[in-house]
Amino acid sequence: MDKLLVEGGRPLEGTVRVSGAKNAALPLLAATLLAPGEHRLANLPALQDVETMLSLLGRLGCPSLVGPTLRIETSRLFFCEAPFDLVRRMRASVLVLGPLLARCGEAHVSLPGGCAIGVRPIDQHLKGLEALGCRFELEGGTVHGRTDRLRGAEIAFDMPTVTGTENVLMAAVLAEGDTIVRNAAMEPEVADLARFLRSLGAVIEGEGTPEIRVRGVPGLAPSVQPYRILPDRIEAGTYLVAGAITGGSVTCTGTRPGDLAALLDVLSRAGCEVHTHGDAVTVARQGPIRPVDVVTAPHPGFPTDMQAQVMALLTLAEGSSHVTETIFENRFMHVAELLRLGASIHVHGNQAIVTGVERLKGAAVVATDLRASAGLVLAALSAEGTSEILHLDHLDRGYEALVPKLQGIGARVFRLDLEDRGIRPPTDVVATA
Ligand code: EPZ
C-alpha cells in the first residue's frame, strides 16, 4: 500500500494539461461493443478504472492495444458477462449491460453492490432496458438479462442518472423504432457518448437536454477517424481548487470552460479571480476566502464530484458555509479526515456546516473514496507542516499522473510505496471503500 507525503503551506503556481475524462472513457469503451471492428480512441486517460474496463472487454473477447491512440478490436465476442471480481473493482462495469443486450440479446452482469458513497442501485437502468424489451432475473447476485428484439419506447427516469441514461442510449441505438428518454442526465460525458455513438452511425439528438431522441438502426460500424475523448472537468476543477486553496494561481489547459461553469461560479463567489481564455482556465487567489453555500445537483448544477474538493477550500473561509449533498447519501466521508487536519465541520443529515479556521495543520489521514481523497490532498497542500495520505488506490482510479502534475505546479508531494520498504501499514487501518 502506498502513501502520499505532502508538505503543505506553499502557494501553487503554474499550468496543468488536463487528461481525458474518466467518466466519458468508460461508457465509450463499453459502446465499442455495439460496433464490431477496430475502434480507435484518442485522449484516453491512463487510469486504474480504464485498465479495469479494458480487462473486462478483453475477458469478453475484445483485445486492446494501449498507445497515444487506443485500438480495441470488438469483432469477436466470446462471452456476454461481467464477473463479480471486475464489477466489484469498478461499478461502472455495469455499463456493458446495454451494449451486450443490444449486441448479443443477453447479458449477465454482477450487481455492482454499494460503495463508500452510497447504495448505488441500478433499478433505473433495469426499468429503462425493460421498457426496450429486456427481461431480467436476479440470481446469485448477478443480473441475467435477455431480449428477443429491442424495440423503441418512451422512457422517463425517476431521477437523472448518468450511467442509467448511458446504458439505455447504448441499447436504444440498435432497437427497432424510436426511443424518447425523458429526465435524461445532461452531464457532458453523456453528450460525449451520444457524439461517439453518432460517429458509429447512430441516430441521436437532444443530448445535453432532459429529452434525448434515438432512432434505432440495423447496425453500427467503427468510425474511420479516431474519436477524441472530452477533457476531464473534475480533474480540471481539482487542480483549479489547488490554486485557490494554497493562495496561488493555477491554469488548466485542454479544458472546456463551459463544462466548469457551476464550479467557477462558486470559486468566484469564494473570492477567487477566474479567467477563461480558449481551452484554458485560470484560478488565482490573493485575498481571504469568502464563505459560500454549495448545493450539489445534476448537471448543469454544482457537481457532486467536486463537493469534497470545495469543502476543503471552505474550511479556510472567513465565516461559515453550508455544503448540501443531494446526489449521494453518504458523501461526507472526507469530513472526519478534514477534522484531523484541524477543520471545523458539523454534519446534520445531508448538510455540512463548515466554519472557517485560520489554518489547517498537517496530519496522517485515510482516503475513503476517489473524490474524498482529492479533497484531502488539497487540504494537505494548504496545511502547515507535513501530511500523510493512505489508501492511494482511490486516487489512482481517477487522477492520471497526479504526483508529477502537482509537482509541476510547485507542490512538495512524494509517493512512498510502503510495501517496497517492507513497511507494513497498521492493520487497524481498514479500507472502507
Ligand atoms: C456517475 O455515477 C459518475 N460515474 C459518478 O462519478 C458521479 O458522481 C455520478 O454519476 C453523479 O454525477 C460514472 O460516470 C462512471 P447516477 P452514476 O446514476 O451513474 C440514484 C466519480 O467520482 N440512482 O447519476 O452511478 C443514485 O443512487 C464517480 O467519478 C438510483 O436510485 O450516478 C444517485 O443517488 C462517483 N437508481 C443518483 O441516482 C439507479 O438505477 C444519481 O446517480 C441509478 C441511480
PDB file of all heavy atoms in Angstrom, residues 22-23 26 91-92 117 120-125 159-164 187 304-305 327-328 331 370-371, ligand 1:
ATOM      1  N   LYS A  22     -12.386  10.441 -17.268  1.00  0.00           N
ATOM      2  CA  LYS A  22     -12.642   9.051 -16.844  1.00  0.00           C
ATOM      3  C   LYS A  22     -14.092   8.678 -17.130  1.00  0.00           C
ATOM      4  O   LYS A  22     -14.378   7.618 -17.683  1.00  0.00           O
ATOM      5  CB  LYS A  22     -12.384   8.919 -15.353  1.00  0.00           C
ATOM      6  CG  LYS A  22     -12.889   7.625 -14.727  1.00  0.00           C
ATOM      7  CD  LYS A  22     -12.598   7.498 -13.253  1.00  0.00           C
ATOM      8  CE  LYS A  22     -13.595   8.191 -12.388  1.00  0.00           C
ATOM      9  NZ  LYS A  22     -14.862   7.471 -12.160  1.00  0.00           N
ATOM     10  N   ASN A  23     -15.009   9.583 -16.778  1.00  0.00           N
ATOM     11  CA  ASN A  23     -16.434   9.254 -16.863  1.00  0.00           C
ATOM     12  C   ASN A  23     -17.007   9.386 -18.266  1.00  0.00           C
ATOM     13  O   ASN A  23     -18.198   9.147 -18.462  1.00  0.00           O
ATOM     14  CB  ASN A  23     -17.225  10.097 -15.861  1.00  0.00           C
ATOM     15  CG  ASN A  23     -16.923   9.650 -14.431  1.00  0.00           C
ATOM     16  OD1 ASN A  23     -16.288   8.608 -14.223  1.00  0.00           O
ATOM     17  ND2 ASN A  23     -17.335  10.434 -13.462  1.00  0.00           N
ATOM     18  N   LEU A  26     -15.107   5.537 -19.885  1.00  0.00           N
ATOM     19  CA  LEU A  26     -15.715   4.253 -19.501  1.00  0.00           C
ATOM     20  C   LEU A  26     -16.939   3.911 -20.348  1.00  0.00           C
ATOM     21  O   LEU A  26     -17.004   2.812 -20.922  1.00  0.00           O
ATOM     22  CB  LEU A  26     -16.032   4.259 -18.003  1.00  0.00           C
ATOM     23  CG  LEU A  26     -14.793   4.412 -17.104  1.00  0.00           C
ATOM     24  CD1 LEU A  26     -15.187   4.520 -15.632  1.00  0.00           C
ATOM     25  CD2 LEU A  26     -13.809   3.269 -17.319  1.00  0.00           C
ATOM     26  N   ARG A  91     -17.693  -0.178 -10.336  1.00  0.00           N
ATOM     27  CA  ARG A  91     -19.142  -0.219 -10.548  1.00  0.00           C
ATOM     28  C   ARG A  91     -19.486   0.121 -11.988  1.00  0.00           C
ATOM     29  O   ARG A  91     -20.494  -0.337 -12.526  1.00  0.00           O
ATOM     30  CB  ARG A  91     -19.870   0.779  -9.670  1.00  0.00           C
ATOM     31  CG  ARG A  91     -19.330   1.113  -8.361  1.00  0.00           C
ATOM     32  CD  ARG A  91     -20.129   2.212  -7.730  1.00  0.00           C
ATOM     33  NE  ARG A  91     -21.398   2.378  -8.364  1.00  0.00           N
ATOM     34  CZ  ARG A  91     -22.427   1.536  -8.209  1.00  0.00           C
ATOM     35  NH1 ARG A  91     -22.272   0.502  -7.428  1.00  0.00           N
ATOM     36  NH2 ARG A  91     -23.559   1.740  -8.826  1.00  0.00           N
ATOM     37  N   ALA A  92     -18.679   0.906 -12.628  1.00  0.00           N
ATOM     38  CA  ALA A  92     -19.021   1.351 -13.988  1.00  0.00           C
ATOM     39  C   ALA A  92     -18.994   0.185 -14.974  1.00  0.00           C
ATOM     40  O   ALA A  92     -19.380   0.330 -16.131  1.00  0.00           O
ATOM     41  CB  ALA A  92     -18.058   2.437 -14.430  1.00  0.00           C
ATOM     42  N   ILE A 117     -19.780   5.785  -0.998  1.00  0.00           N
ATOM     43  CA  ILE A 117     -20.614   6.997  -1.022  1.00  0.00           C
ATOM     44  C   ILE A 117     -22.105   6.688  -1.051  1.00  0.00           C
ATOM     45  O   ILE A 117     -22.924   7.595  -0.952  1.00  0.00           O
ATOM     46  CB  ILE A 117     -20.234   7.927  -2.197  1.00  0.00           C
ATOM     47  CG1 ILE A 117     -20.501   7.252  -3.546  1.00  0.00           C
ATOM     48  CG2 ILE A 117     -18.798   8.376  -2.086  1.00  0.00           C
ATOM     49  CD1 ILE A 117     -20.180   8.169  -4.739  1.00  0.00           C
ATOM     50  N   ARG A 120     -26.024   2.951  -4.323  1.00  0.00           N
ATOM     51  CA  ARG A 120     -25.804   2.960  -5.789  1.00  0.00           C
ATOM     52  C   ARG A 120     -26.661   1.894  -6.497  1.00  0.00           C
ATOM     53  O   ARG A 120     -26.158   1.002  -7.157  1.00  0.00           O
ATOM     54  CB  ARG A 120     -24.333   2.747  -6.114  1.00  0.00           C
ATOM     55  CG  ARG A 120     -23.356   3.597  -5.340  1.00  0.00           C
ATOM     56  CD  ARG A 120     -23.353   5.066  -5.702  1.00  0.00           C
ATOM     57  NE  ARG A 120     -22.945   5.357  -7.056  1.00  0.00           N
ATOM     58  CZ  ARG A 120     -21.665   5.497  -7.440  1.00  0.00           C
ATOM     59  NH1 ARG A 120     -20.715   5.301  -6.570  1.00  0.00           N
ATOM     60  NH2 ARG A 120     -21.367   5.772  -8.695  1.00  0.00           N
ATOM     61  N   PRO A 121     -27.979   1.926  -6.359  1.00  0.00           N
ATOM     62  CA  PRO A 121     -28.815   0.921  -7.022  1.00  0.00           C
ATOM     63  C   PRO A 121     -28.783   1.086  -8.549  1.00  0.00           C
ATOM     64  O   PRO A 121     -28.291   2.108  -9.055  1.00  0.00           O
ATOM     65  CB  PRO A 121     -30.211   1.219  -6.482  1.00  0.00           C
ATOM     66  CG  PRO A 121     -30.171   2.650  -6.096  1.00  0.00           C
ATOM     67  CD  PRO A 121     -28.775   2.936  -5.662  1.00  0.00           C
ATOM     68  N   ILE A 122     -29.273   0.068  -9.282  1.00  0.00           N
ATOM     69  CA  ILE A 122     -29.361   0.200 -10.746  1.00  0.00           C
ATOM     70  C   ILE A 122     -30.789  -0.037 -11.227  1.00  0.00           C
ATOM     71  O   ILE A 122     -31.030  -0.402 -12.378  1.00  0.00           O
ATOM     72  CB  ILE A 122     -28.379  -0.776 -11.461  1.00  0.00           C
ATOM     73  CG1 ILE A 122     -28.702  -2.233 -11.132  1.00  0.00           C
ATOM     74  CG2 ILE A 122     -26.929  -0.445 -11.129  1.00  0.00           C
ATOM     75  CD1 ILE A 122     -27.986  -3.217 -12.053  1.00  0.00           C
ATOM     76  N   ASP A 123     -31.756   0.212 -10.340  1.00  0.00           N
ATOM     77  CA  ASP A 123     -33.165  -0.026 -10.713  1.00  0.00           C
ATOM     78  C   ASP A 123     -33.596   0.796 -11.926  1.00  0.00           C
ATOM     79  O   ASP A 123     -34.380   0.330 -12.766  1.00  0.00           O
ATOM     80  CB  ASP A 123     -34.079   0.273  -9.518  1.00  0.00           C
ATOM     81  CG  ASP A 123     -33.927   1.714  -9.042  1.00  0.00           C
ATOM     82  OD1 ASP A 123     -32.810   2.080  -8.615  1.00  0.00           O
ATOM     83  OD2 ASP A 123     -34.895   2.489  -9.145  1.00  0.00           O
ATOM     84  N   GLN A 124     -33.068   1.996 -12.067  1.00  0.00           N
ATOM     85  CA  GLN A 124     -33.450   2.833 -13.212  1.00  0.00           C
ATOM     86  C   GLN A 124     -32.865   2.289 -14.513  1.00  0.00           C
ATOM     87  O   GLN A 124     -33.497   2.373 -15.565  1.00  0.00           O
ATOM     88  CB  GLN A 124     -32.980   4.288 -12.982  1.00  0.00           C
ATOM     89  CG  GLN A 124     -33.598   4.952 -11.760  1.00  0.00           C
ATOM     90  CD  GLN A 124     -35.104   5.132 -11.903  1.00  0.00           C
ATOM     91  OE1 GLN A 124     -35.589   5.734 -12.847  1.00  0.00           O
ATOM     92  NE2 GLN A 124     -35.857   4.578 -10.968  1.00  0.00           N
ATOM     93  N   HIS A 125     -31.655   1.729 -14.427  1.00  0.00           N
ATOM     94  CA  HIS A 125     -31.067   1.093 -15.617  1.00  0.00           C
ATOM     95  C   HIS A 125     -32.010  -0.014 -16.092  1.00  0.00           C
ATOM     96  O   HIS A 125     -32.344  -0.106 -17.277  1.00  0.00           O
ATOM     97  CB  HIS A 125     -29.714   0.435 -15.276  1.00  0.00           C
ATOM     98  CG  HIS A 125     -28.638   1.350 -14.794  1.00  0.00           C
ATOM     99  ND1 HIS A 125     -27.390   1.418 -15.353  1.00  0.00           N
ATOM    100  CD2 HIS A 125     -28.615   2.239 -13.769  1.00  0.00           C
ATOM    101  CE1 HIS A 125     -26.639   2.298 -14.707  1.00  0.00           C
ATOM    102  NE2 HIS A 125     -27.370   2.810 -13.749  1.00  0.00           N
ATOM    103  N   MET A 159     -35.244   9.834 -11.673  1.00  0.00           N
ATOM    104  CA  MET A 159     -34.285  10.903 -11.375  1.00  0.00           C
ATOM    105  C   MET A 159     -33.205  10.858 -12.461  1.00  0.00           C
ATOM    106  O   MET A 159     -33.001   9.794 -13.075  1.00  0.00           O
ATOM    107  CB  MET A 159     -33.671  10.724  -9.988  1.00  0.00           C
ATOM    108  CG  MET A 159     -32.545   9.730  -9.864  1.00  0.00           C
ATOM    109  SD  MET A 159     -33.018   7.991 -10.026  1.00  0.00           S
ATOM    110  CE  MET A 159     -33.935   7.742  -8.538  1.00  0.00           C
ATOM    111  N   PRO A 160     -32.532  11.948 -12.723  1.00  0.00           N
ATOM    112  CA  PRO A 160     -31.477  11.888 -13.744  1.00  0.00           C
ATOM    113  C   PRO A 160     -30.374  10.933 -13.270  1.00  0.00           C
ATOM    114  O   PRO A 160     -29.863  11.074 -12.162  1.00  0.00           O
ATOM    115  CB  PRO A 160     -30.949  13.321 -13.818  1.00  0.00           C
ATOM    116  CG  PRO A 160     -31.966  14.163 -13.154  1.00  0.00           C
ATOM    117  CD  PRO A 160     -32.680  13.294 -12.162  1.00  0.00           C
ATOM    118  N   THR A 161     -30.038   9.926 -14.093  1.00  0.00           N
ATOM    119  CA  THR A 161     -28.956   9.008 -13.742  1.00  0.00           C
ATOM    120  C   THR A 161     -27.967   8.975 -14.904  1.00  0.00           C
ATOM    121  O   THR A 161     -28.364   8.694 -16.042  1.00  0.00           O
ATOM    122  CB  THR A 161     -29.473   7.584 -13.437  1.00  0.00           C
ATOM    123  OG1 THR A 161     -28.417   6.640 -13.631  1.00  0.00           O
ATOM    124  CG2 THR A 161     -30.675   7.194 -14.267  1.00  0.00           C
ATOM    125  N   VAL A 162     -26.707   9.252 -14.621  1.00  0.00           N
ATOM    126  CA  VAL A 162     -25.692   9.349 -15.674  1.00  0.00           C
ATOM    127  C   VAL A 162     -25.514   8.001 -16.362  1.00  0.00           C
ATOM    128  O   VAL A 162     -25.756   7.862 -17.569  1.00  0.00           O
ATOM    129  CB  VAL A 162     -24.351   9.859 -15.092  1.00  0.00           C
ATOM    130  CG1 VAL A 162     -23.240   9.797 -16.120  1.00  0.00           C
ATOM    131  CG2 VAL A 162     -24.517  11.288 -14.579  1.00  0.00           C
ATOM    132  N   THR A 163     -25.105   6.977 -15.611  1.00  0.00           N
ATOM    133  CA  THR A 163     -24.857   5.689 -16.271  1.00  0.00           C
ATOM    134  C   THR A 163     -26.157   5.013 -16.671  1.00  0.00           C
ATOM    135  O   THR A 163     -26.186   4.235 -17.636  1.00  0.00           O
ATOM    136  CB  THR A 163     -24.046   4.751 -15.351  1.00  0.00           C
ATOM    137  OG1 THR A 163     -24.666   4.717 -14.068  1.00  0.00           O
ATOM    138  CG2 THR A 163     -22.606   5.212 -15.216  1.00  0.00           C
ATOM    139  N   GLY A 164     -27.268   5.353 -15.982  1.00  0.00           N
ATOM    140  CA  GLY A 164     -28.559   4.801 -16.410  1.00  0.00           C
ATOM    141  C   GLY A 164     -28.932   5.325 -17.783  1.00  0.00           C
ATOM    142  O   GLY A 164     -29.343   4.570 -18.676  1.00  0.00           O
ATOM    143  N   GLU A 187     -25.161  15.526 -18.136  1.00  0.00           N
ATOM    144  CA  GLU A 187     -23.709  15.678 -17.953  1.00  0.00           C
ATOM    145  C   GLU A 187     -22.974  15.685 -19.295  1.00  0.00           C
ATOM    146  O   GLU A 187     -23.377  14.981 -20.239  1.00  0.00           O
ATOM    147  CB  GLU A 187     -23.171  14.546 -17.066  1.00  0.00           C
ATOM    148  CG  GLU A 187     -23.248  14.814 -15.567  1.00  0.00           C
ATOM    149  CD  GLU A 187     -24.666  14.858 -14.998  1.00  0.00           C
ATOM    150  OE1 GLU A 187     -25.624  14.576 -15.749  1.00  0.00           O
ATOM    151  OE2 GLU A 187     -24.810  15.175 -13.805  1.00  0.00           O
ATOM    152  N   THR A 304     -21.510  16.910  -7.805  1.00  0.00           N
ATOM    153  CA  THR A 304     -21.208  16.193  -6.565  1.00  0.00           C
ATOM    154  C   THR A 304     -19.751  15.744  -6.535  1.00  0.00           C
ATOM    155  O   THR A 304     -19.153  15.667  -5.461  1.00  0.00           O
ATOM    156  CB  THR A 304     -22.141  14.976  -6.396  1.00  0.00           C
ATOM    157  OG1 THR A 304     -21.754  14.238  -5.245  1.00  0.00           O
ATOM    158  CG2 THR A 304     -22.124  14.069  -7.610  1.00  0.00           C
ATOM    159  N   ASP A 305     -19.155  15.507  -7.707  1.00  0.00           N
ATOM    160  CA  ASP A 305     -17.768  15.027  -7.748  1.00  0.00           C
ATOM    161  C   ASP A 305     -16.773  16.116  -7.377  1.00  0.00           C
ATOM    162  O   ASP A 305     -15.577  15.844  -7.272  1.00  0.00           O
ATOM    163  CB  ASP A 305     -17.426  14.471  -9.132  1.00  0.00           C
ATOM    164  CG  ASP A 305     -18.168  13.179  -9.401  1.00  0.00           C
ATOM    165  OD1 ASP A 305     -18.770  12.635  -8.452  1.00  0.00           O
ATOM    166  OD2 ASP A 305     -18.172  12.725 -10.558  1.00  0.00           O
ATOM    167  N   ILE A 327     -27.057  14.287  -4.053  1.00  0.00           N
ATOM    168  CA  ILE A 327     -26.998  13.173  -5.004  1.00  0.00           C
ATOM    169  C   ILE A 327     -26.767  11.840  -4.298  1.00  0.00           C
ATOM    170  O   ILE A 327     -27.482  10.869  -4.543  1.00  0.00           O
ATOM    171  CB  ILE A 327     -25.874  13.412  -6.048  1.00  0.00           C
ATOM    172  CG1 ILE A 327     -26.071  14.757  -6.754  1.00  0.00           C
ATOM    173  CG2 ILE A 327     -25.813  12.247  -7.040  1.00  0.00           C
ATOM    174  CD1 ILE A 327     -27.301  14.847  -7.624  1.00  0.00           C
ATOM    175  N   PHE A 328     -25.773  11.787  -3.430  1.00  0.00           N
ATOM    176  CA  PHE A 328     -25.460  10.518  -2.754  1.00  0.00           C
ATOM    177  C   PHE A 328     -25.692  10.651  -1.258  1.00  0.00           C
ATOM    178  O   PHE A 328     -25.480  11.723  -0.679  1.00  0.00           O
ATOM    179  CB  PHE A 328     -24.005  10.113  -3.027  1.00  0.00           C
ATOM    180  CG  PHE A 328     -23.762   9.724  -4.456  1.00  0.00           C
ATOM    181  CD1 PHE A 328     -22.967  10.494  -5.278  1.00  0.00           C
ATOM    182  CD2 PHE A 328     -24.387   8.602  -4.999  1.00  0.00           C
ATOM    183  CE1 PHE A 328     -22.766  10.150  -6.603  1.00  0.00           C
ATOM    184  CE2 PHE A 328     -24.189   8.250  -6.326  1.00  0.00           C
ATOM    185  CZ  PHE A 328     -23.386   9.034  -7.121  1.00  0.00           C
ATOM    186  N   ARG A 331     -21.831  10.940   1.244  1.00  0.00           N
ATOM    187  CA  ARG A 331     -20.661  11.502   0.567  1.00  0.00           C
ATOM    188  C   ARG A 331     -19.971  12.564   1.439  1.00  0.00           C
ATOM    189  O   ARG A 331     -19.455  13.548   0.946  1.00  0.00           O
ATOM    190  CB  ARG A 331     -21.032  12.068  -0.806  1.00  0.00           C
ATOM    191  CG  ARG A 331     -19.807  12.102  -1.707  1.00  0.00           C
ATOM    192  CD  ARG A 331     -20.079  12.302  -3.152  1.00  0.00           C
ATOM    193  NE  ARG A 331     -18.918  11.867  -3.915  1.00  0.00           N
ATOM    194  CZ  ARG A 331     -18.830  11.864  -5.235  1.00  0.00           C
ATOM    195  NH1 ARG A 331     -19.845  12.298  -5.961  1.00  0.00           N
ATOM    196  NH2 ARG A 331     -17.747  11.428  -5.849  1.00  0.00           N
ATOM    197  N   LEU A 370     -12.769   8.074  -4.110  1.00  0.00           N
ATOM    198  CA  LEU A 370     -11.974   8.820  -5.078  1.00  0.00           C
ATOM    199  C   LEU A 370     -11.963  10.312  -4.829  1.00  0.00           C
ATOM    200  O   LEU A 370     -10.902  10.934  -4.680  1.00  0.00           O
ATOM    201  CB  LEU A 370     -12.513   8.519  -6.486  1.00  0.00           C
ATOM    202  CG  LEU A 370     -11.982   9.340  -7.644  1.00  0.00           C
ATOM    203  CD1 LEU A 370     -10.482   9.312  -7.706  1.00  0.00           C
ATOM    204  CD2 LEU A 370     -12.597   8.842  -8.946  1.00  0.00           C
ATOM    205  N   ARG A 371     -13.100  10.927  -4.733  1.00  0.00           N
ATOM    206  CA  ARG A 371     -13.121  12.391  -4.653  1.00  0.00           C
ATOM    207  C   ARG A 371     -12.824  12.877  -3.233  1.00  0.00           C
ATOM    208  O   ARG A 371     -12.269  13.948  -3.037  1.00  0.00           O
ATOM    209  CB  ARG A 371     -14.460  12.947  -5.145  1.00  0.00           C
ATOM    210  CG  ARG A 371     -14.845  12.475  -6.525  1.00  0.00           C
ATOM    211  CD  ARG A 371     -13.774  12.754  -7.577  1.00  0.00           C
ATOM    212  NE  ARG A 371     -14.154  12.169  -8.863  1.00  0.00           N
ATOM    213  CZ  ARG A 371     -13.419  12.215  -9.962  1.00  0.00           C
ATOM    214  NH1 ARG A 371     -12.241  12.789  -9.935  1.00  0.00           N
ATOM    215  NH2 ARG A 371     -13.815  11.657 -11.084  1.00  0.00           N
TER     216      ARG A 371
HETATM  217  C1  EPZ B   1     -21.927   8.769 -12.318  1.00  0.00           C
HETATM  218  O1  EPZ B   1     -22.256   7.742 -11.404  1.00  0.00           O
HETATM  219  C2  EPZ B   1     -20.428   9.015 -12.165  1.00  0.00           C
HETATM  220  N1  EPZ B   1     -19.694   7.803 -12.509  1.00  0.00           N
HETATM  221  C3  EPZ B   1     -20.129   9.424 -10.719  1.00  0.00           C
HETATM  222  O2  EPZ B   1     -18.736   9.719 -10.640  1.00  0.00           O
HETATM  223  C4  EPZ B   1     -20.917  10.688 -10.397  1.00  0.00           C
HETATM  224  O3  EPZ B   1     -20.694  11.047  -9.052  1.00  0.00           O
HETATM  225  C5  EPZ B   1     -22.417  10.433 -10.633  1.00  0.00           C
HETATM  226  O4  EPZ B   1     -22.623   9.975 -11.983  1.00  0.00           O
HETATM  227  C6  EPZ B   1     -23.251  11.684 -10.416  1.00  0.00           C
HETATM  228  O5  EPZ B   1     -22.805  12.691 -11.279  1.00  0.00           O
HETATM  229  C7  EPZ B   1     -19.521   7.495 -13.819  1.00  0.00           C
HETATM  230  O6  EPZ B   1     -19.970   8.197 -14.709  1.00  0.00           O
HETATM  231  C8  EPZ B   1     -18.734   6.253 -14.108  1.00  0.00           C
HETATM  232  P1  EPZ B   1     -26.127   8.354 -11.040  1.00  0.00           P
HETATM  233  P2  EPZ B   1     -23.706   7.027 -11.501  1.00  0.00           P
HETATM  234  O7  EPZ B   1     -26.763   7.125 -11.586  1.00  0.00           O
HETATM  235  O8  EPZ B   1     -24.159   6.994 -12.898  1.00  0.00           O
HETATM  236  C9  EPZ B   1     -29.536   7.254  -7.923  1.00  0.00           C
HETATM  237  C10 EPZ B   1     -16.592   9.639  -9.717  1.00  0.00           C
HETATM  238  O9  EPZ B   1     -16.122  10.023  -8.646  1.00  0.00           O
HETATM  239  N2  EPZ B   1     -29.829   6.102  -8.793  1.00  0.00           N
HETATM  240  O10 EPZ B   1     -26.167   9.598 -11.862  1.00  0.00           O
HETATM  241  O11 EPZ B   1     -23.611   5.744 -10.759  1.00  0.00           O
HETATM  242  C11 EPZ B   1     -28.164   7.159  -7.272  1.00  0.00           C
HETATM  243  O12 EPZ B   1     -28.247   6.390  -6.085  1.00  0.00           O
HETATM  244  C12 EPZ B   1     -17.923   8.935  -9.755  1.00  0.00           C
HETATM  245  O13 EPZ B   1     -16.045   9.795 -10.833  1.00  0.00           O
HETATM  246  C13 EPZ B   1     -30.877   5.244  -8.459  1.00  0.00           C
HETATM  247  O14 EPZ B   1     -31.539   5.415  -7.449  1.00  0.00           O
HETATM  248  O15 EPZ B   1     -24.603   8.026 -10.692  1.00  0.00           O
HETATM  249  C14 EPZ B   1     -27.832   8.605  -7.007  1.00  0.00           C
HETATM  250  O16 EPZ B   1     -28.472   8.997  -5.810  1.00  0.00           O
HETATM  251  C15 EPZ B   1     -18.508   8.788  -8.343  1.00  0.00           C
HETATM  252  N3  EPZ B   1     -31.140   4.191  -9.273  1.00  0.00           N
HETATM  253  C16 EPZ B   1     -28.471   9.341  -8.181  1.00  0.00           C
HETATM  254  O17 EPZ B   1     -29.442   8.432  -8.728  1.00  0.00           O
HETATM  255  C17 EPZ B   1     -30.416   3.957 -10.418  1.00  0.00           C
HETATM  256  O18 EPZ B   1     -30.717   2.987 -11.142  1.00  0.00           O
HETATM  257  C18 EPZ B   1     -27.510   9.737  -9.291  1.00  0.00           C
HETATM  258  O19 EPZ B   1     -26.709   8.617  -9.574  1.00  0.00           O
HETATM  259  C19 EPZ B   1     -29.357   4.848 -10.744  1.00  0.00           C
HETATM  260  C20 EPZ B   1     -29.086   5.912  -9.920  1.00  0.00           C
END
